[in-house]
Every structure is written in structure tokens, then in C-alpha cells.
Amino acid sequence: IIIELSKKTGMEYLVTDSITDTFGYIHLAKALISADTSLVHIAGTYNTPVLVFSKSIDNELDKFSPKSEKHIIVKSNNPNSIDVSNKDIELAIDNFLKIID
């Protein structure tokens, strides 16, 4: 999925060896797409725009919602996993690209 997102958005993706390696990358990034709340919090520290995929647990989403000024949350209909349709992903990406330009 990440390779497809990279092609569609024109954004690079990277794999790091540890969470601490990601700080500098997120600080310099134009934007972040993630389902990992720790990365979303790091992005909020730097006000990096974020597109986050989340389970449908409202109290968890309130607790871990993005703090970046520019953000989009794609909430799953499933409280146990992130289950989002391709159509919803494409719409979220299109909207996200508009707010980060």
C-alpha cells in the first residue's frame, strides 16, 4: 500500500532503523501519511501536515488526534482494525494534497 501511496502522491517513503531516526525526517518532511500515533505526535511537534488512518474508537481518536494545524483523519468503520475502502483512501489523499500545497 505504501508504494502505491508514494506513486500517487509523488511523496517518498522511507524505512528507518528506530523511532529516534524518524524525528529529523519528519521535521524536514512536507507531510506525513501514517496510521502510527507515535509518528503523528512527532509530526505535531513540528507542525508537519499529517494524514492519519485510525480505528473507529472515538475516545482513542480524541486522545491521539493530530496536533498539526493541517491534518486529515480517515476513520475506519471497524473498531478493531483500520479497514478503509480504496475510494475513501483516494478521496483522503486528494484532499490532503490540496491542503499541503
Side-chain angles (χ1 to χ4, degrees):
I1 293 172
I2 192 67
I3 293 169
E4 290 178 35
L5 285 173
S6 178
K7 288 177 184 176
K8 172 132 176 88
T9 62
M11 293 182 189
E12 294 181 43
Y13 71 94
L14 53 107
V15 177
T16 60
D17 292 327
S18 71
I19 190 73
T20 56
D21 291 344
T22 63
F23 282 78
Y25 291 114
I26 292 173
H27 177 64
L28 297 174
K30 181 176 181 179
L32 173 74
I33 299 173
S34 182
D36 185 317
T37 58
S38 62
L39 298 179
V40 172
H41 285 300
I42 295 167
T45 300
Y46 300 115
N47 203 27
T48 300
V50 64
L51 170 60
V52 61
F53 295 94
S54 174
K55 297 177 187 175
S56 66
I57 304 171
D58 288 331
N59 62 342
E60 185 175 298
L61 187 55
D62 289 340
K63 188 176 181 181
F64 299 111
S65 65
K67 304 303 181 209
S68 299
E69 289 175 14
K70 295 181 180 181
H71 67 270
I72 292 178
I73 301 169
V74 179
K75 191 165 72 169
S76 171
N77 291 323
N78 186 336
N80 299 314
S81 66
I82 298 173
D83 182 15
V84 181
S85 72
N86 287 342
K87 182 181 175 185
D88 288 341
I89 292 171
E90 288 182 17
L91 180 61
I93 289 170
D94 289 342
N95 289 334
F96 189 57
L97 292 174
K98 289 176 188 172
I99 68 168
I100 64 173
D101 283 335

